[in-house]
Amino acid sequence: VFFHTFQTHATNLKMGKKKVSGNARRKEKEMREYVSINGEAFLESRSSSPLWNGLVLHHKDVFVSHVLPKLNRTDRLFFSKVNLESWGVLKYARVDASELGIVVWECASISTLEWVWNNMPWGEKDDGGSVIDQTLFCMHVVLTNKLEFLKWAREV
C-alpha cells in the first residue's frame, strides 16, 4: 500500500500534476524509515478507539507527561510496535524507538517472557561477552523476583 502510494506520488511529481511541500516529503521519508524498521504491515494498523484517538493522538502532551514515564523500556518497545502513530508519539516525546530493547527483568507477565524467549538471539554473545542461553535467560528472570516466572523459564 505504502509503496504504491509512493510510486503514484512520484509519478504525479514527474508529470507536473501535484507539487509536494517539504513537510510531505519529510513525512514520506519518515514512513520509508518506519517501514524499513518495522515492516509494511504496521502502516495498515491504525486504531479507531476513542481512548487511543483522544489520549495518544489528540492529547500527546498528557500522554507523554503522565503515561509514558510509567512505562518501562520493554513496555515502550511493545508500544512502539503497535503502529506508525505510536512511533510518532515516541518521536514527539524524544524517545528514540530504534534504541529500545527488551529487558528481561522488567517483564511483568509470563506472556511477555514468552515473547522475549521466542525472539532471543540464542547462541549469540551479549554486550558482556556471555553466550545467550537458557542459563543466562534464567539468571535475568531471577531479577524479576517472581518465582512463577523462574519456574516457567526452567520448564521451557
Side-chain angles (χ1 to χ4, degrees):
V1 174
F2 167 71
F3 292 108
H4 173 70
T5 305
F6 180 72
Q7 288 172 342
T8 305
H9 181 67
T11 304
N12 287 344
L13 280 175
K14 289 178 187 174
M15 298 176 79
K17 293 181 183 177
K18 186 177 180 183
K19 290 189 177 185
V20 181
S21 69
N23 189 36
R25 282 192 299 273
R26 182 182 50 77
K27 288 207 180 242
E28 280 182 9
K29 181 180 176 189
E30 287 175 5
M31 288 179 75
R32 282 193 302 271
E33 180 182 336
Y34 182 82
V35 168
S36 70
I37 293 171
N38 297 303
E40 191 172 348
F42 290 100
L43 291 175
E44 297 173 6
S45 61
R46 294 190 178 259
S47 177
S48 60
S49 162
L51 179 63
W52 180 270
N53 290 335
L55 183 61
V56 177
L57 298 181
H58 299 299
H59 299 287
K60 286 181 191 176
D61 54 339
V62 174
F63 182 81
V64 167
S65 61
H66 294 286
V67 177
L68 204 55
K70 291 178 174 60
L71 299 178
N72 62 36
R73 186 174 172 179
T74 303
D75 292 337
R76 288 180 184 191
L77 175 74
F78 285 126
F79 179 74
S80 74
K81 301 289 184 189
V82 172
N83 57 26
L84 183 60
E85 295 161 344
S86 62
W87 205 56
V89 171
L90 288 173
K91 190 172 184 178
Y92 173 81
R94 295 188 177 145
V95 174
D96 187 1
S98 66
E99 302 246 337
L100 294 174
I102 295 292
V103 179
V104 174
W105 59 84
E106 288 183 348
C107 292
S109 68
I110 289 179
S111 61
T112 306
L113 273 177
E114 185 175 9
W115 187 91
V116 173
W117 176 270
N118 292 331
N119 292 286
M120 285 297 270
W122 300 111
E124 294 181 15
K125 292 193 176 193
D126 67 1
D127 295 337
S130 301
V131 176
I132 299 172
D133 58 2
Q134 186 178 15
T135 305
L136 184 67
F137 185 82
C138 288
M139 188 177 76
H140 289 285
V141 171
V142 165
L143 296 173
T144 65
N145 206 24
K146 296 182 180 177
L147 182 59
E148 63 272 14
F149 288 9
L150 183 58
K151 286 180 182 178
W152 178 87
R154 294 293 296 157
E155 292 172 2
V156 176

